[in-house]
Amino acid sequence: MRERLEARKVVMANMSTRCKVATEDAKKQEEMLSTEVRSLLVAGTSLSVARKRLQEANRLLTEERGCVKLKNVQRKLRARQQYMISQVSLLYPVKILVGPAQEQELESYSSSSRLGNPSASKPVNQGSLTILGLNLTLLPFTKMSFFTDKKEVQRSATALGSVAHAVSLIASYLQVPLRYPLRLGGSRSYINDHASSIDPASSDLSLDTTLSANVKLAEFPLFLEGQDTTRAAYAVFLLNKDIEQLLNFIGVKSLGPRHVLANLKELLRSVQSSEYIDT
């Protein structure tokens, strides 16, 4: 009986020790759970506050005052864009040549050519437009010979560099990523094309990451000196496409693929008009 009693005492002591350990573990888990519950309560409170703010913002936006406030913010943004682009127009003025040494602002073709309007403005002769007093002549880009005037080629390269810089500034102010990025360098500027350098073998790939890895930028010069005339002409074409992209962004129709300065002038005029702020 004594041995059995001692054995029972040992068993009870072991069970008491295990019970104490289990109680301590339970307390620790309870503390962890309480911490997590408090975190969930704080997160729930924050979520509730954010939800109330969102509902309030939606309510204000759906009301008449909310729409007016949103339109006012948009008008302020467009007014700021208009001011910045007007500075670009002052830096790179596009004018029409009237006489041998006279230039005036091109106000004659200020008629709107919004998309959907069948009455588009008549494009001005490309040779009659100048930027910074430089005439952009595209003839050397199509027919280059030994007798081509080198000064004329240099003037065209300088004019294209000015157009490229103006387009880059306007795109940044309008927050429009250009489809054909520019690498500015004055009269030695370049324009990039993604599609021209895609490996044909990569067209069968299914993964976009693999395809994007095989795409490289192909640069085309916006000048003729020491360059292939075909590549230079294609660069002018891509530059005009960038201007057309900006025109389409503000809802204006392009004047044509061969009117680089005319399209740039129309872009500057359209942004500086009162219609741009009211749209």
Side-chain angles (χ1 to χ4, degrees), residues 32-48:
M32 293 175 60
L33 288 175
S34 61
T35 304
E36 293 179 358
V37 168
R38 285 195 296 267
S39 301
L40 288 176
L41 290 175
V42 173
T45 305
S46 302
L47 181 62
S48 178

Side-chain angles (χ1 to χ4, degrees), residues 15-129:
M15 290 180 64
S16 178
T17 305
R18 292 176 184 176
C19 183
K20 290 180 180 180
V21 173
T23 304
E24 292 177 358
D25 292 340
K27 288 181 178 180
K28 290 181 180 179
Q29 291 182 2
E30 184 179 357
E31 292 176 357
M32 293 175 60
L33 288 175
S34 61
T35 304
E36 293 179 358
V37 168
R38 285 195 296 267
S39 301
L40 288 176
L41 290 175
V42 173
T45 305
S46 302
L47 181 62
S48 178
V49 172
R51 184 178 181 180
K52 289 180 179 179
R53 290 178 180 176
L54 181 60
Q55 290 176 350
E56 182 68 17
N58 289 333
R59 185 182 63 81
L60 293 175
L61 188 60
T62 53
E63 291 180 355
E64 185 177 357
R65 291 183 180 179
C67 294
V68 172
K69 187 175 181 180
L70 178 61
K71 289 182 179 180
N72 289 335
V73 172
Q74 291 176 344
R75 285 175 61 88
K76 290 180 181 179
L77 176 61
R78 291 195 179 99
R80 184 62 180 174
Q81 292 174 340
Q82 190 178 68
Y83 171 76
M84 299 299 293
I85 293 177
S86 67
Q87 301 304 305
V88 177
S89 179
L90 294 176
L91 288 174
Y92 297 104
V94 180
K95 300 179 180 180
I96 183 169
L97 189 65
V98 212
Q102 294 181 350
E103 291 180 353
Q104 68 177 11
E105 289 293 338
L106 185 57
E107 302 290 349
S108 57
Y109 76 105
S110 59
S111 59
S112 177
S113 57
R114 296 279 172 179
L115 289 175
N117 188 0
S119 59
S121 58
K122 183 178 179 181
V124 183
N125 184 12
Q126 180 73 19
S128 64
L129 290 174

Side-chain angles (χ1 to χ4, degrees), residues 178-183 191-198 212-220 231 238:
L178 292 175
R179 186 175 294 110
Y180 305 104
L182 294 160
R183 184 164 71 87
I191 191 167
N192 299 316
D193 185 13
H194 296 268
S196 302
S197 58
I198 297 179
S212 61
N214 293 328
V215 177
K216 297 180 181 179
L217 288 177
E219 283 192 334
F220 295 91
R231 293 177 60 84
L238 295 181

